[in-house]
Amino acid sequence: MDEADERFGITEVSARIGLAPDTLRYFERQGIVPSPRRDNAGRRQYTTADVELIRMLVHLRETGMPLADIAQFTGADDKATDPAGLRLELLMAHHRRVQDRREELDRALEVITRKITDYSDRITSSPELLDRPDCTIAFSVQGEGPLLFLVGAPAGRAGFAALANELAGQFSVVTHDPRGIGASRDVAGMAAPTPEVMAGDLAALVDRFTGGPALFVGTSGGAVTLLELARQHPHLVGRAVLHEPPLVSLLDDADLADRARAAFAAAESNPQWAVQEFFDFSGAGHHTGPDQTPPTHMALSGLPAEELDKNRYFLGQMAGPTVFYVPDIEATRRISAALCAGALSHHQMARRATQALGDRLGLPLIDMPGNHVGASAEPAEFAHAVVPLLKR
């Protein structure tokens, strides 16, 4: 018998789909799933096509498509002059809703992950401290093997906690809070967190462990810190993986540069607006494939006071010197480096900048899991992808 001619009873379909028979009957009465043919005894007889359609409708329901839309999708052949067009319209609208929800969950997951790490640190261990002339840098070490530094800005120990756990089986992983972030508290008289200053902090941290070269993974502003480390202290860099350095300085985009300057200038007095503007022009909170562009605006919910204070510092002091940093291309060519960007970061500011850097260096752009925050949002997948880049 051809697979298309197979017939299934409601009990078999229930087992295949994972819905109780009564639920299937209810959805049928509501017009959410199509009514199957019946045999001579009046028993429902589902075809393979029926089963696959119901399976898809269950996915639509589980991802939040309104039941009215599902019913409209199911009955499109009977009521629409262009059923394929109607179904496409319904699916595209639902895709946008799921995408928006996914991005909201990613942002929430990032905050939750950071809080879990914060509280875990308080309960289980205290960070080690490195004294600098104008501040103290907090750092943590875990694992065994070659020395590997995970570098971010503003991401610190909390942002890299999950990735560090994934890599600790193969490396001695060092994470630190950049000055003014986390346990490396902002103190009176502390120098501004420019890439030049933060590269000096990182060099001192490397010297704390070894005077020789080490391995580095830098994400976002941390990748910019590594570019400056390569200029100041190339002998410390054994291999550097640079993930999405957000260098507006490399993009011929005056409007983007103006928006960035305006957001950074407003961060102290209006951090909520600055965060919203940064989110919109960077596109970094979205998941965009090669044929997708990030939406021009998606309203963020109000940030709590603690997050607003953090962004007064990050956007008001750290972000500007980072995104307008001009890398020394010749110095970067002298180190062993890999450039990578999120496979779901297409047409976003940081991926565009990384591509521009790659064009200047003559290096390919390597796709990595996730988007701009893939290192924290998808740590297992990111670790699996980054290890081969470190071993080249």
Side-chain angles (χ1 to χ4, degrees), residues 160-179:
F160 285 121
L163 180 61
N165 286 336
E166 295 290 339
L167 293 168
Q170 300 182 63
F171 302 93
S172 295
V173 184
V174 183
T175 58
H176 76 284
D177 293 333
R179 56 175 54 216

Side-chain angles (χ1 to χ4, degrees), residues 371-383:
N371 62 353
H372 187 66
V373 295
S376 58
E378 301 185 33
E381 296 84 353
F382 195 95

Side-chain angles (χ1 to χ4, degrees), residues 114-126:
R114 188 166 65 242
K115 288 300 180 185
I116 288 172
T117 305
D118 285 345
Y119 288 120
S120 296
D121 281 347
R122 294 178 195 178
I123 293 169
T124 61
S125 65
S126 297

Side-chain angles (χ1 to χ4, degrees), residues 190-274:
M190 185 181 76
T194 65
E196 293 80 4
V197 170
M198 290 191 291
D201 292 340
L202 181 57
L205 185 59
V206 176
D207 284 341
R208 164 71 170 70
F209 291 89
T210 175
L215 303 173
F216 299 88
V217 174
T219 68
S220 190
V224 179
T225 302
L226 291 183
L227 289 168
E228 176 60 18
L229 184 72
R231 188 188 70 81
Q232 290 185 22
H233 307 284
H235 64 283
L236 296 180
V237 184
R239 175 73 168 167
V241 176
L242 308 174
H243 181 258
E244 297 207 7
L247 295 168
V248 173
S249 60
L250 298 185
L251 298 175
D252 184 16
D253 191 330
D255 179 64
L256 175 63
D258 288 344
R259 291 182 67 184
R261 290 189 183 93
F264 303 152
E268 178 62 34
S269 60
N270 192 354
Q272 180 69 45
W273 179 84

Side-chain angles (χ1 to χ4, degrees), residues 339-350:
L339 294 183
C340 54
L344 294 176
S345 293
H346 284 270
H347 309 293
Q348 297 177 18
M349 179 185 81

Side-chain angles (χ1 to χ4, degrees), residues 92-390:
M92 289 180 67
H94 185 56
H95 183 275
R96 288 191 293 271
R97 286 193 296 269
V98 172
Q99 187 98 1
D100 289 348
R101 181 58 179 155
R102 176 182 176 181
E103 289 160 1
E104 289 172 3
L105 289 173
D106 278 347
R107 292 195 298 275
L109 182 62
E110 187 178 356
V111 173
I112 291 167
T113 300
R114 188 166 65 242
K115 288 300 180 185
I116 288 172
T117 305
D118 285 345
Y119 288 120
S120 296
D121 281 347
R122 294 178 195 178
I123 293 169
T124 61
S125 65
S126 297
E128 297 185 58
L129 301 175
L130 173 71
D131 288 330
R132 298 288 288 143
D134 58 345
C135 68
T136 300
I137 302 298
F139 67 95
S140 298
V141 190
Q142 64 186 103
E144 294 183 1
L147 199 58
L148 170 62
F149 292 83
L150 303 182
V151 187
R157 294 178 307 120
F160 285 121
L163 180 61
N165 286 336
E166 295 290 339
L167 293 168
Q170 300 182 63
F171 302 93
S172 295
V173 184
V174 183
T175 58
H176 76 284
D177 293 333
R179 56 175 54 216
I181 301 294
S184 300
R185 301 295 182 189
D186 186 5
V187 295
M190 185 181 76
T194 65
E196 293 80 4
V197 170
M198 290 191 291
D201 292 340
L202 181 57
L205 185 59
V206 176
D207 284 341
R208 164 71 170 70
F209 291 89
T210 175
L215 303 173
F216 299 88
V217 174
T219 68
S220 190
V224 179
T225 302
L226 291 183
L227 289 168
E228 176 60 18
L229 184 72
R231 188 188 70 81
Q232 290 185 22
H233 307 284
H235 64 283
L236 296 180
V237 184
R239 175 73 168 167
V241 176
L242 308 174
H243 181 258
E244 297 207 7
L247 295 168
V248 173
S249 60
L250 298 185
L251 298 175
D252 184 16
D253 191 330
D255 179 64
L256 175 63
D258 288 344
R259 291 182 67 184
R261 290 189 183 93
F264 303 152
E268 178 62 34
S269 60
N270 192 354
Q272 180 69 45
W273 179 84
V275 170
Q276 178 70 68
E277 183 70 353
F278 185 74
F279 178 81
D280 287 341
F281 71 68
S282 70
H286 301 287
H287 294 79
T288 47
D291 59 347
Q292 299 170 306
T293 56
T296 56
H297 176 73
M298 190 172 82
L300 299 176
S301 57
L303 294 175
E306 180 184 5
E307 292 298 316
L308 291 175
D309 283 342
K310 288 179 179 178
N311 279 287
R312 283 188 177 93
Y313 180 77
F314 164 54
L315 292 178
Q317 298 190 47
M318 182 179 288
T322 297
V323 304
F324 290 111
Y325 173 81
V326 179
D328 185 326
I329 297 301
E330 290 307 314
T332 307
R333 284 199 179 108
R334 289 194 286 269
I335 65 166
S336 175
L339 294 183
C340 54
L344 294 176
S345 293
H346 284 270
H347 309 293
Q348 297 177 18
M349 179 185 81
R351 184 181 173 107
R352 291 168 54 206
T354 310
Q355 182 64 69
L357 179 61
D359 292 343
R360 286 163 173 76
L361 293 171
L363 291 176
L365 188 60
I366 301 165
D367 277 347
M368 295 293 279
N371 62 353
H372 187 66
V373 295
S376 58
E378 301 185 33
E381 296 84 353
F382 195 95
H384 180 75
V386 83
V387 168
L389 301 182
L390 290 167

